[in-house]
Structure formats: structure tokens, C-alpha cells
Amino acid sequence: AFLLPTMLARAGDWPQWGGRNMRNFVSDETGLPATFRPDRIENTNGVQTVIFGENVKWTAPLGTQAYVTPAVAQGRVLIGANDAKVETPRFKRTKGSVLDCLDEATGKRLWRLVIPRLATNNKMFNFDDLDLGLCSSPTVDGDRVYVMGSRGDVLCLDINGQADGNDGPYTDEGYYMWNARVLPDKPGRFDASSAPPRGQPSSLRPDDADIVWRYDVLEALDVWPQDAVDCSILVRGDHLYVCTCNGVDKSHKTIPSPNAPDLIVLDKRSGELLAVMDKPLGNDIFHGCWSSPSLARVDGRDLIFWGGGDGFCYAFDAAFEPGRDGQPGTLRRVWLFDCNPPHNKFRNGQKLPYNKNREGPSELIATPVFANGRIYVAVGQDSRHGPGPGCMSCIDASQTGDVTASAKIWQNFDVDRSFSSAAVTEDGLVFIADYTGILRCLDADTGKEYWSHDTKGRIFCSPLVADGRVYIGTEAGRLTVAAAAREKRIIDEVRFDGPIYATPVAANGVLYIASQRTLYAFQAH
């Protein structure tokens, strides 16, 4: 009770992917630095000189790959990366991941969670083997941090780490952060108990993470992820809504676990499974399920919106039906919308296969964004599939059933395959980027394009609108800053020390930019 006042989210916090449950990438922050530059090193005749940046509040080292958009809440910054810079010999570099909790004021690391990579003898299991590190952005709710770890488990963490003791019921953090081995028994079956000992785990320290509970979707639900898990967990009351990231095996043709649920509900206090979606996507999954759920109230009831690995956008009634006799309850579908237009699916009356000659339909990787009673979402594919035909859809969120025809407000076919979620402003603008590197400004009511800009680099992150500006990073390591207006005006282009895969964040007067190697906090001086 004494801690409660300090654990309430501040208005300027950014506690989750998309900031709030509607996942609209628009911030109310003002007073952000008009210009900013990271420190850089110049090498002249073999002599290195540090050129100090502009409006740098602090920096924090990451790994060598960082895809996580930071969460900022309760005076802390949560950010993930791969384990390339994990402390040895205390922990081993396994090509796993880390989650760091930093002090918001100074950038000092308060605690770290080390997640070793899964190891397997199953040649068809191609999960967690790309050294990507953590891919799911954390969610802060009070004194708890919820994240989907890189080995496919949902983790509830104490925001204070081990500094205030080891909260249970989970108390095996030393073993968890040290032991990597999980062996699939056969396709679709996982047994963590078969992990052989590799010695004694390190004793815990105050700067280690405190896992309160964990729920392993691979072991508990027979889920078979493809490449990586990428779900930012949604909190509603005492419930967590989680995409399990089910997908294909190494053949890229077979779904080993077609009966595994793709969207589940857990009790945020205990990790107990409470509900699963009414029907799994099964063999309709193209490649994988990587979209994060969003939430909004429509016509008096809360709806969960989610992008499927089959190319459909779904809405579920958040008030799920309880289960009986120890079985999970059911998330009932309210509507579905096919986000792939016919010309992306058929040619001359023949069905186009998935990703052949860079054609065919795509899944939804982006998060459905809710604004003004509508859903805004684009389709996309794995970056290794390259560019291809995409589509940006605006959907009326108030209907029921198969609403592919009736709920379509507009679609924009100029938007190529995209990872990006949208930023929808109060004055009726939609900012969306596609994988090829094009940032577009569209009319929220009609889909008409006001302007576009080629950033000259592939885009994996989402655009952020804050303080009258649009921020978007590229794989080429450049951050473009544009005016959030109907007329195109490029304000700045800033070079960083590596690719930018994480979405910029504005919180409490500070702009956060994560490159592959460094998290930068910029503040106007």
C-alpha cells in the first residue's frame, strides 16, 4: 500500500509498445530538442578524436543487435538486445539475449536479465538461432514488467530486480540465466526437464533480474515459433493478452503445431492460462505470427485487435468465456478482415503462392492501431523475403462477422510490405513506413497520399509522432525528422553509430533512440 503512489504511471511515461493500449504511435510530449546529435569518433592520421554530440543526456551500451523499442515508466527505462556484451565468466555468451533496466535520470543499469539461447538437436527447429536477441518490447504495469523472452516464455519481473529480495513463486533465476538447453523430443513437443546440468549457476546479486513467474508457451501449449518471438504483451485489468508466435519449421512449408493457440490470455498475477482464441489459424499461417494485440472500447465493449499470420486482422471480445473442469476459456471472435486485396492473391483467376517471385499475399507483422473508431494496419513479410506488394487498410471497427467488404473504409496499395505500425494524429493524418524505406503521410479519412519521402534505407521500425514532428529510423543508421503536417518538410537527418531497428520513444521530455549498439537519451538543454 505504501508503494502504490510511486507505482502509478506518470502522464509522460511510455510504458509499452505504442505507448497505450490502442497502440497509436503518437506522443503528447512537447519541448523535445529541436536538434540533436550523438557523439562520434573521427580518425585522422591514426589519431582518434571524440566529437561531442548535441543535447545528449546520457547513453547506454547495448549488444551488437538491438530490436527492442524501450519502455519508460516508474523512473526506469527497459531495453533489450542480444548477449554479445554479457559479463563473462559469470554468464556465458550463447547468442541469447538480455533485458536491461536502466535509471531514467542517469542511464545507469539497475539490473539485468540474461536469457540463454535455446539449444536443440532437432534439425527442423529454426527458432532462436539468428543471434537477434530480445525482439519483444516490455510492458510495465505498476511494479511489474511483462515481456516475452527470446526463448518463447512469458516472464513477469519485479521492476526493482533482486535489490528488494527474490519475490516468488519463481526463485530459480540463477539457473534460468545460466542454463540454455531445451531439447525438442519430436516436432511440436518440448521438454525442459531434459536439459542436462552444465555445472553450478552463479549466485544472485542485487543487480540481477527477479523473475516472479514464467509461462513457457513452447512446453505448455505445443507452440513452434519461426525464427523469433515478437509480441509486446497487452495488459487489461488482471489479464495479459499474448501472441504465441506459432509458425513454420525449417522447411518453411510445414506447420508442426497447427492446433496450438495463436492468441492466449494469462492471469497477470500468477501466469495461469485463462483463455485461448476460439480457433487456431493452423495450416492457414503463411510463415509466422508476430503481431502484437491492441485494445479499444467499441460500442460499449472492449475489443482485442490482432494481426494474424494468415493475412487477416481479427477482433475478439476481451471479456472471454471462462473455462470449465480445468480447461482454459475461449476468446470469441467478433470480426475478421482480409487485409490482402484480391490482386495480391490472384492472377488470371489463379491463386498466387506465398512469396514466390516476391508476389502473393502477406501476413500481418505490424500491430493494428485503433483511432477514431477505426483500425489502421499494413501487411508485410520476413525481411529476408525482400520487398513486394503490400497494402495499408483502414477498417471500421464496429461491425461483426466477415467484414472484408463491408468494413473497408479505404486501402492504399502504394504502401509496400511493411513492419511498421501507424501513427494517427488528431488532425487526421496517418504516417506509415514500408520496408523499402518510404515514409508516407496519408489522409486518415480517405487514404489519399499527401506526401512521401525516400529515407534511402530499409525500415523495420514504426514512425513516432511527437512535438509536431515525425521520427523514423533506417537500417542505414539514419534518423529522419519530418514535420507532422500535410505539406512535406524534412527537418533533419541524423546519423547514428549503426542500424536503427527500434522505434523512437518520447517520454517525460526526453527522446530515446536505440541503434544496434547504443541507447541514446536526448534532452533540450
Side-chain angles (χ1 to χ4, degrees), residues 12 135 141 230 264 283 350 358 414 418 504:
C135 292
D141 180 56
D230 182 12
I264 62 173
N283 291 313
Q350 300 296 315
R358 295 188 174 181
D414 292 329
S418 176

Side-chain angles (χ1 to χ4, degrees), residues 340-362:
N340 285 291
H343 63 263
N344 283 8
K345 299 170 66 177
F346 300 95
R347 176 177 296 164
N348 300 323
Q350 300 296 315
K351 189 174 181 179
L352 290 170
Y354 175 76
N355 195 46
K356 184 176 182 180
N357 300 321
R358 295 188 174 181
E359 294 183 313
S362 296

Side-chain angles (χ1 to χ4, degrees), residues 60-350:
L62 300 175
T64 57
Q65 295 201 69
Y67 293 87
V68 170
T69 295
V72 183
Q74 316 299 352
R76 293 162 173 80
V77 179
L78 283 302
I79 181 75
N82 68 1
D83 66 354
K85 297 182 180 179
V86 72
E87 298 94 338
T88 57
R90 188 164 179 255
F91 298 107
K92 291 185 177 181
R93 161 83 157 123
T94 65
K95 296 187 178 181
S97 66
V98 298
L99 174 67
D100 285 342
C101 177
L102 312 176
D103 179 74
E104 184 180 354
T106 65
K108 176 185 176 183
R109 195 174 80 211
L110 302 176
W111 54 259
R112 166 173 281 181
L113 173 70
V114 178
I115 307 176
R117 174 181 173 263
L118 292 179
T120 176
N121 290 328
N122 191 311
K123 295 181 180 179
M124 298 308 293
F125 188 65
N126 61 329
F127 168 60
D128 197 27
D129 61 355
L130 298 175
D131 198 17
L132 299 176
L134 197 68
C135 292
S136 302
S137 295
T139 299
V140 181
D141 180 56
D143 62 351
R144 295 291 183 254
V145 179
Y146 300 99
V147 67
M148 195 167 197
S150 55
R151 52 197 290 180
D153 47 0
V154 178
L155 301 169
C156 171
L157 308 170
D158 180 357
I159 200 170
N160 298 304
Q162 293 287 342
D164 63 350
N166 194 351
D167 295 344
Y170 192 90
T171 57
D172 292 332
E173 289 87 352
Y175 180 80
Y176 177 87
M177 291 193 286
W178 153 84
N179 182 67
R181 198 160 180 77
V182 174
L183 297 175
D185 176 46
K186 58 184 179 179
R189 298 296 299 277
F190 301 87
D191 182 10
S193 65
S194 65
R198 297 188 312 177
Q200 294 299 319
S202 300
S203 58
L204 295 175
R205 304 188 316 202
D207 61 347
D208 286 328
D210 181 3
I211 302 174
V212 179
W213 58 256
R214 66 182 291 263
Y215 182 86
D216 191 333
V217 300
L218 277 69
E219 185 177 357
L221 299 175
D222 201 23
V223 169
W224 186 292
Q226 158 65 14
D227 284 342
V229 291
D230 182 12
C231 170
S232 295
I233 295 169
L234 177 75
V235 180
R236 174 184 177 265
D238 290 332
H239 302 149
L240 307 179
Y241 297 80
V242 183
C243 168
T244 63
C245 304
N246 199 32
V248 298
D249 63 12
K250 201 166 188 175
S251 72
H252 287 210
K253 298 178 181 179
T254 302
I255 307 291
S257 299
N259 297 319
D262 305 291
L263 191 66
I264 62 173
V265 185
L266 302 178
D267 188 313
K268 77 174 186 181
R269 299 160 297 186
S270 66
E272 177 188 0
L273 178 65
L274 299 178
V276 299
M277 62 188 290
D278 50 7
K279 182 181 178 182
L281 302 187
N283 291 313
D284 290 335
I285 295 173
F286 294 134
H287 194 57
C289 295
W290 295 292
S291 178
S292 298
S294 56
L295 167 70
R297 195 161 185 82
V298 179
D299 293 338
R301 66 174 169 178
D302 286 352
L303 296 182
I304 302 296
F305 306 102
W306 175 66
D310 58 351
F312 282 77
C313 184
Y314 293 89
F316 297 90
D317 192 333
F320 54 86
E321 299 176 9
R324 296 180 179 179
D325 301 324
Q327 296 300 309
T330 303
L331 269 176
R332 294 294 179 189
R333 187 176 67 197
V334 175
W335 56 255
L336 74 162
F337 181 94
D338 189 350
C339 293
N340 285 291
H343 63 263
N344 283 8
K345 299 170 66 177
F346 300 95
R347 176 177 296 164
N348 300 323
Q350 300 296 315

Side-chain angles (χ1 to χ4, degrees), residues 11-26:
D13 282 350
W14 190 269
Q16 62 179 311
W17 170 249
R20 300 294 182 266
N21 285 344
M22 293 185 291
R23 311 286 201 179
N24 190 3
F25 287 72
V26 175

Side-chain angles (χ1 to χ4, degrees), residues 454-496:
D454 188 350
T455 64
K456 307 296 183 182
R458 297 187 299 184
I459 292 178
F460 288 72
C461 65
S462 299
L464 172 75
V465 172
D467 203 10
R469 307 181 189 99
V470 185
Y471 302 86
I472 187 76
T474 72
E475 191 177 45
R478 288 191 298 270
L479 185 90
T480 297
V481 185
R486 285 173 172 78
E487 295 184 1
K488 179 178 176 178
R489 181 165 65 92
I490 304 302
I491 298 173
D492 204 353
E493 286 190 346
V494 185
R495 284 191 170 273
F496 283 81

